[in-house]
Amino acid sequence: MSEAETTAQAPAGPLQVLWQDERLVAVHKPAGWLVHRTWLDAHETRFVMQTLRDQLGRHVYPVHRLDKGTSGVLLMALDPDAARAMTQLFETRQTDKEYLALVRGWPAPEVRVDHALKPDDAPDDALPQDAVTRFRRLATLQLDVPVDRYPTTRVALVQAQPETGRRHQIRRHLKHLAHPIIGDATHGKGAHNRWWAEQLGQQRLWLHASRLAFVHPFSGLNVQITSNWRDPALNADWCQLQRDWPWQFEPTRADEGDGTAQAVIADGSNPAV
């Protein structure tokens, strides 16, 4: 099956469709949207599932989750069989995911965190589950402004690649490194979150799902879907963050991620996919 036969025209609507075929659809989830209704946030009115259902005129089925505050690539199934197949891929770690995070402080250039985590709602005697995340530092920023007890303010842009899929894994592993995500009300520091919210003009969790790759469970094609943080049409807040501050990018990574949001499908012969 060719790329043209596999990729559908993205319908207009409040949610940007990044890629769609007859079984699956991927959208860019804006920060602040819930994936589906929940009693834990009863006053929220923006839900990806309901909005996308109305936008496409058909039922959609969740196969993975993004936190309310996280932006970026979110995949949905268009029928129950596809939902079961994709859920199995996520559960058996047959997907490849990348995230971008704005974190407090300057982490090491590269670090692999192997730190088991208990589920948030687990009883005290529950055993921790294995959890592994690889981090790479992309850029650093230092401002001569005291926040909290430090004379300067340091933050970094970090790429995260989770090897397992525990809930809040990236957030909790960055807290474990003492470099929590800016805007993380649960695992971060209030003084830093408030200061950056004031500077950036918005209060959000600065975590972005930038790439999702997998082998299509029905066609066998390699699928890679991205929501590029430097694409102003999708990620104006991340673009403003990059543009308005004097970042120092790592020499070998300064040009990574250039381009626009894209969805790439190949037959496996293209090593770049």
Side-chain angles (χ1 to χ4, degrees):
M1 185 177 294
S2 70
E3 179 176 342
E5 293 171 327
T6 316
T7 306
Q9 181 68 32
L15 290 171
Q16 177 64 51
V17 174
L18 300 173
W19 170 78
Q20 181 183 350
D21 72 0
E22 66 274 10
R23 311 300 295 267
L24 304 167
V25 58
V27 300
H28 169 83
K29 186 186 95 62
W33 284 57
L34 288 170
V35 174
H36 51 74
R37 287 188 173 92
T38 172
W39 63 270
L40 295 173
D41 203 339
H43 300 292
E44 184 54 69
T45 60
R46 299 169 297 178
F47 310 100
V48 173
M49 281 187 62
Q50 285 73 22
T51 300
L52 188 59
R53 177 198 62 198
D54 296 342
Q55 188 171 321
L56 299 179
R58 60 188 298 183
H59 286 290
V60 296
Y61 303 81
V63 298
H64 70 129
R65 75 167 78 196
L66 293 178
D67 290 341
K68 177 181 178 180
T70 304
S71 58
V73 178
L74 180 69
L75 188 70
M76 295 274 181
L78 296 174
D79 62 74
D81 288 342
R84 283 190 289 270
M86 280 307 309
T87 299
Q88 179 73 8
L89 289 188
F90 279 99
E91 290 179 349
T92 56
R93 306 179 188 178
Q94 297 183 64
T95 61
D96 185 22
K97 296 172 283 185
E98 286 184 3
Y99 291 78
L100 178 74
L102 172 66
V103 306
R104 181 172 63 85
W106 291 2
E110 295 194 24
V111 61
R112 182 177 183 267
V113 178
D114 185 346
H115 177 65
L117 299 170
K118 287 185 180 181
D120 290 336
D121 55 355
D124 293 339
D125 58 352
L127 294 176
Q129 300 172 317
D130 66 308
V132 179
T133 312
R134 288 177 287 131
F135 296 101
R136 286 202 306 163
R137 194 178 70 201
L138 302 181
T140 56
L141 172 67
Q142 178 170 306
L143 302 174
D144 292 328
V145 178
V147 176
D148 203 5
R149 64 181 186 272
Y150 301 100
T152 62
T153 297
R154 286 184 169 189
V155 289
L157 293 173
V158 173
Q159 180 191 79
Q161 293 180 288
E163 297 181 8
T164 54
R166 308 306 177 197
R167 188 164 185 243
H168 295 167
Q169 175 176 312
I170 295 172
R171 296 166 62 178
R172 296 169 73 184
H173 274 177
L174 284 167
K175 178 189 178 183
H176 178 70
L177 291 175
H179 296 291
I181 298 174
I182 298 297
D184 189 338
T186 303
H187 305 291
K189 298 199 69 174
H192 291 270
N193 291 344
R194 289 188 295 271
W195 189 86
W196 278 102
E198 182 178 348
Q199 305 310 307
L200 299 173
Q202 61 176 305
Q203 186 168 347
R204 64 157 291 182
L205 175 70
W206 286 91
L207 180 63
H208 178 69
S210 56
R211 186 177 72 89
L212 173 65
F214 56 93
V215 176
H216 198 293
F218 298 98
S219 69
L221 296 177
N222 292 331
V223 179
Q224 177 172 272
I225 308 163
T226 66
S227 175
N228 194 286
W229 69 285
R230 294 183 176 182
D231 178 4
L234 289 178
N235 296 300
D237 48 358
W238 287 98
C239 290
Q240 180 182 355
L241 176 67
Q242 176 195 216
R243 182 184 64 243
D244 292 353
W245 303 88
W247 289 96
Q248 297 295 317
F249 282 85
E250 300 294 321
T252 60
R253 305 177 182 117
D255 59 351
E256 288 188 2
D258 281 337
T260 58
Q262 57 182 313
V264 180
I265 304 175
D267 59 6
S269 61
N270 183 354
V273 176

